[in-house]
Amino acid sequence: MQCLGATCPVSAERTPRQREWRPQIYRKCTDTTWLFLFFLFWTGLVFLMGYSVVAGAAGRLLFGYDSFGNVCGKKNSPVEGAPLSGQDMTLKKHVFFLNSCHLEVNEVRLSPTALCVSSCPEEQLDTLEEVQRFAHTNGSFLCVYNLNSFNYTQSPKADLLCPRLPVPPSKSFPLFNRCIPQTPECYSLFASVLINDADTLHRILRGIMSGKDTVLGLCGLALALSLAVMFTFRFITTLLVHIFISLLILGLLFVCGVLWWLYYDYTNDLSIELDTERENMKCVLGFAIVSTVVTAVLLVLIFVHRKRIKLTVELFRVTNKAISSSPFLLFQPLWTFAILIFFWVLWVAVLLSLGTAGAAQVIEGGQVEYKPLWGIRCMWWYHLIGLIWTSEFILACQQMTIAGAVVTCYFNRNKNDPPDRPILSSLSILLCYHQGTVAKGSFLITAVRIPRIILICIYNALKEKAHLVMNAFVFRCCNCCSWCLDKYLHHLNQNAYTATAINGTEFCTSAKEAFSILSKNSSDFTSVNCFGDFIIFLGKVLVVSFTVFGGLMAFNYNRALQVWAIPLLLVAFFAYLVAHSFLSLFETVLDALFLCFAIDLETNDGSSEKPYFMDEEFL
């Protein structure tokens, strides 16, 4: 529990003097204002969660709904002014679209009438008699609810209330239990409703649900690869480094080759008629270009630094020795990853509810439309800030916990008698004194990320309006600058957390003093530290490249009936997050060790009066 400044023990340093750089026993709470702001922000998030539960209806999106305000698969409440609403659809779990092959444009929007049915017609129905026979045989009524099935062939309004003939065969594809036409000419038109006439949220969710089994399998593959790479780094040797770099090069070249081959196969496939196939072709081209550029850059960097492999092995041996003094550090990423998964699932659930928070409005013909409530877009941005700030806060807590454990073990004179429970000690110090510092550091990352996201949104909105090339150049330069600032802040924050773990100072003081210490030894440390971080980054690239390759092979089997651009992007993003969560352990330990090493050189000279804390192997 975060304590108040008046009740905490005061640091032993009461008068200004040169910093001794020793882990403090008596500490004070740091950056309490920022902890209070983070608490207020989360109070707003809790209110947002409650509002989304009350006002949202995620069931409409997940289970599907008809044009009269009924959610399929459940019992519904009536909507005032809509006589066909409020029906019991417990046994009708599928959404069937009337005239899926004959959609009419309505205010530049494709909007077919939808019904809840108990099963989809898997064979083509050519006459009303066959539609009537299908209703009596399968109990699935394909005409509007107020028309009795016995009147399908007799009512003069049957042409308006029943689907236009012939009814194409359809199948319940895992797109939220929708009946999807199986003939290419019908699906091409129907896909325009599911793809082009949908907002970003719905497209993301459809992409996930359309290949949910594949997505889950690829996430498991990313987790297994991350554990394998972490195990490799834990017991690294010169041979393993050579094998690791060879696998990375072969993997990158293989993925690039497969991507360009797939694009060539798409462009030479004369049967490409569907919107899904065109979307997939654009996705393959984008992935191919990006992967080729990344591969070329990494190959150049690997060639330039090829002579430093031996140094890298020695560097990781020292890092692994520090981890061996506190072996439970290896389990720290697992706890962090579990907490992040829990938070992300909660965040997505709230996002689902916010995306369906709308007021029912009755339109012509007794149909119901849901208009978004006022202020939902502002809530969405608040929710997005909560995602970034909280995720960075959780990762920062892991960084400070690891740094605190490394600091405790490093500044221990008797290396043969390591301190007891350094991880629990570091975690308790973080929770009692330095949560405000972590909140401030994570907010700085958020403050850089949000303008970058806004820039990307503005660029995507303006690029279709024939603006000059200079505008695109300016946006890309700004995006590149913000990305570089983001990376610099991550490194600055890590050093600040390590300095706070040592001296118990607030964020700004810790960042300034750590920067001052490292800048005096920059020529000695920068190249070594950067190359160690580069090898760790290659491990993350290895995990992402092999996961994306597996996704390409899996998704390409359904190229006609599935747009896999979004799910593949999400899988790549998830793979990088998983790899980052596990491999950042070595990165954090390495950075903390270098700062401790710089402090040791700054305050000690190796004499009997001022001996070094480091051992001979590290020196």
Side-chain angles (χ1 to χ4, degrees):
M1 181 180 69
Q2 180 76 23
C3 56
L4 298 177
T7 60
C8 289
V10 180
S11 174
E13 300 179 277
R14 295 181 176 274
T15 58
R17 55 188 174 88
Q18 187 176 0
R19 186 77 66 192
E20 290 187 0
W21 289 100
R22 298 290 185 273
Q24 299 295 304
I25 298 176
Y26 300 103
R27 294 175 178 263
K28 64 178 180 179
C29 301
T30 56
D31 298 297
T32 53
T33 303
W34 283 94
L35 180 62
F36 180 70
L37 291 176
F38 188 66
F39 174 78
L40 287 181
F41 183 84
W42 253 92
T43 302
L45 277 183
V46 171
F47 170 78
L48 191 63
M49 293 176 188
Y51 175 82
S52 66
V53 171
V54 174
R60 288 206 312 268
L61 184 62
L62 293 174
F63 303 111
Y65 59 98
D66 63 13
S67 299
F68 306 99
N70 300 297
V71 177
C72 300
K74 61 176 293 186
K75 191 173 183 179
N76 298 274
S77 302
V79 177
E80 185 177 355
L84 296 180
S85 63
Q87 300 195 34
D88 187 358
M89 299 294 181
T90 306
L91 301 178
K92 300 178 179 180
K93 300 181 179 180
H94 305 278
V95 182
F96 174 75
F97 295 91
L98 268 68
N99 309 327
S100 57
C101 285
H102 310 279
L103 301 176
E104 297 178 357
V105 177
N106 180 19
E107 296 179 356
V108 199
R109 183 174 182 270
L110 297 169
S111 180
T113 301
L115 301 174
C116 294
V117 298
S118 57
S119 62
C120 305
E122 297 185 359
E123 296 181 357
Q124 181 170 300
L125 306 177
D126 298 310
T127 63
L128 285 176
E129 286 77 9
E130 293 183 4
V131 175
Q132 186 180 53
R133 190 179 308 115
F134 178 78
H136 293 161
T137 304
N138 298 281
S140 187
F141 307 98
L142 306 182
C143 298
V144 179
Y145 309 132
N146 56 1
L147 180 63
N148 192 290
S149 60
F150 293 100
N151 296 329
Y152 283 1
T153 58
Q154 301 174 3
S155 175
K157 296 183 178 180
D159 292 339
L160 299 175
L161 301 179
C162 292
R164 188 176 300 182
L165 300 173
V167 180
S170 58
K171 185 178 179 181
S172 180
F173 201 67
L175 286 168
F176 301 87
N177 298 322
R178 269 66 167 177
C179 293
I180 307 299
Q182 296 300 293
T183 55
E185 60 274 8
C186 290
Y187 185 85
S188 180
L189 184 59
F190 182 80
S192 62
V193 178
L194 293 178
I195 298 172
N196 299 326
D197 187 41
D199 58 28
T200 304
L201 172 62
H202 289 201
R203 289 192 65 182
I204 291 175
L205 295 175
R206 283 196 189 97
I208 296 174
M209 293 301 294
S210 62
K212 56 185 178 182
D213 295 334
T214 305
V215 169
L216 290 175
L218 292 173
C219 291
L221 175 63
L223 180 62
L225 288 173
S226 299
L227 290 172
V229 174
M230 188 174 74
F231 182 81
T232 302
F233 284 165
R234 181 68 180 87
F235 302 98
I236 201 166
T237 61
T238 304
L239 177 62
L240 279 178
V241 172
H242 283 288
I243 295 174
F244 169 75
I245 294 179
S246 301
L247 281 176
L248 176 66
I249 295 174
L250 290 176
L252 288 172
L253 293 176
F254 193 62
V255 169
C256 288
V258 170
L259 283 168
W260 285 112
W261 176 82
L262 283 176
Y263 179 69
Y264 176 80
D265 187 49
Y266 270 106
T267 53
N268 289 275
D269 188 357
L270 300 178
S271 64
I272 290 183
E273 300 176 348
L274 309 183
D275 289 343
T276 51
E277 293 175 312
R278 297 189 187 98
E279 290 262 336
N280 291 338
M281 185 170 65
K282 294 178 183 178
C283 171
V284 169
L285 178 60
F287 270 106
I289 294 173
V290 171
S291 64
T292 303
V293 172
V294 171
T295 300
V297 173
L298 290 180
L299 287 179
V300 171
L301 291 174
I302 290 172
F303 178 78
V304 171
H305 296 291
R306 66 189 185 282
K307 295 182 179 180
R308 299 192 177 186
I309 291 179
K310 184 177 180 181
L311 177 61
T312 303
V313 174
E314 297 298 328
L315 194 64
F316 275 98
R317 283 178 179 171
V318 173
T319 303
N320 288 324
K321 187 175 182 180
I323 295 176
S324 298
S325 62
S326 183
F328 285 101
L329 278 177
L330 291 172
F331 296 97
Q332 184 66 30
L334 293 175
W335 293 109
T336 303
F337 183 68
I339 295 172
L340 281 174
I341 288 294
F342 174 78
F343 170 68
W344 289 339
V345 169
L346 178 63
W347 189 87
V348 170
V350 175
L351 183 65
L352 282 174
S353 298
L354 282 179
T356 55
Q361 294 185 357
V362 181
I363 60 176
E364 183 182 357
Q367 296 189 9
V368 176
E369 282 190 351
Y370 292 93
K371 299 294 182 181
L373 297 176
W374 182 85
I376 289 295
R377 191 171 297 274
C378 296
M379 293 182 181
W380 188 88
W381 279 105
Y382 190 90
H383 195 49
L384 178 63
I385 294 173
L387 170 67
I388 300 174
W389 194 359
T390 306
S391 298
E392 290 297 330
F393 180 85
I394 295 171
L395 291 173
C397 287
Q398 171 182 283
Q399 290 176 333
M400 182 167 278
T401 302
I402 295 174
V406 172
V407 164
T408 302
C409 296
Y410 185 94
F411 288 100
N412 177 40
R413 287 292 184 190
N414 188 358
K415 302 300 181 182
N416 296 322
D417 184 20
D420 294 333
R421 298 183 293 274
I423 299 177
L424 289 178
S425 175
S426 176
L427 184 60
S428 63
I429 290 174
L430 166 64
L431 295 178
C432 291
Y433 302 105
H434 304 310
Q435 290 186 69
T437 299
V438 172
K440 185 175 183 178
S442 56
F443 178 79
L444 291 178
I445 303 294
T446 307
V448 174
R449 292 266 178 90
I450 293 299
R452 186 179 170 196
I453 294 174
I454 294 174
L455 277 174
I456 294 174
C457 293
I458 293 175
Y459 173 71
N460 290 332
L462 295 180
K463 69 178 181 180
E464 303 294 338
K465 297 184 179 180
H467 279 244
L468 297 176
V469 178
M470 183 59 68
N471 290 340
F473 176 76
V474 171
F475 278 119
R476 287 170 182 170
C477 287
C478 294
N479 187 36
C480 180
C481 292
S482 63
W483 180 83
C484 294
L485 181 59
D486 186 300
K487 295 302 178 183
Y488 174 76
L489 282 177
H490 267 101
H491 185 66
L492 178 70
N493 284 3
Q494 176 57 58
N495 292 326
Y497 297 149
T498 305
T500 299
I502 298 174
N503 288 320
T505 50
E506 62 181 12
F507 180 85
C508 292
T509 303
S510 299
K512 181 180 68 175
E513 293 180 342
F515 179 79
S516 175
I517 289 287
L518 290 174
S519 61
K520 295 178 182 178
N521 303 276
S522 58
S523 59
D524 300 327
F525 298 150
T526 301
S527 59
V528 179
N529 196 5
C530 288
F531 188 68
D533 291 340
F534 176 68
I535 292 296
I536 295 171
F537 174 74
L538 290 182
K540 301 175 187 178
V541 173
L542 179 69
V543 173
V544 175
S545 61
F546 277 93
T547 304
V548 169
F549 172 72
L552 286 171
M553 295 295 97
F555 285 125
N556 193 53
Y557 287 109
N558 291 322
R559 63 164 61 179
L561 296 179
Q562 186 177 4
V563 177
W564 41 258
I566 290 177
L568 190 58
L569 282 172
L570 291 174
V571 165
F573 178 69
F574 179 83
Y576 182 80
L577 284 179
V578 173
H580 178 73
S581 297
F582 284 91
L583 300 184
S584 62
L585 167 68
F586 295 93
E587 193 173 357
T588 303
V589 172
L590 189 61
D591 291 341
L593 280 176
F594 268 107
L595 181 58
C596 292
F597 183 66
I599 292 170
D600 205 0
L601 291 180
E602 180 73 15
T603 57
N604 300 301
D605 56 12
S607 62
S608 57
E609 292 79 11
K610 292 184 177 181
Y612 289 128
F613 282 95
M614 72 191 85
D615 55 22
E616 290 298 325
E617 182 180 2
F618 197 1
L619 183 59

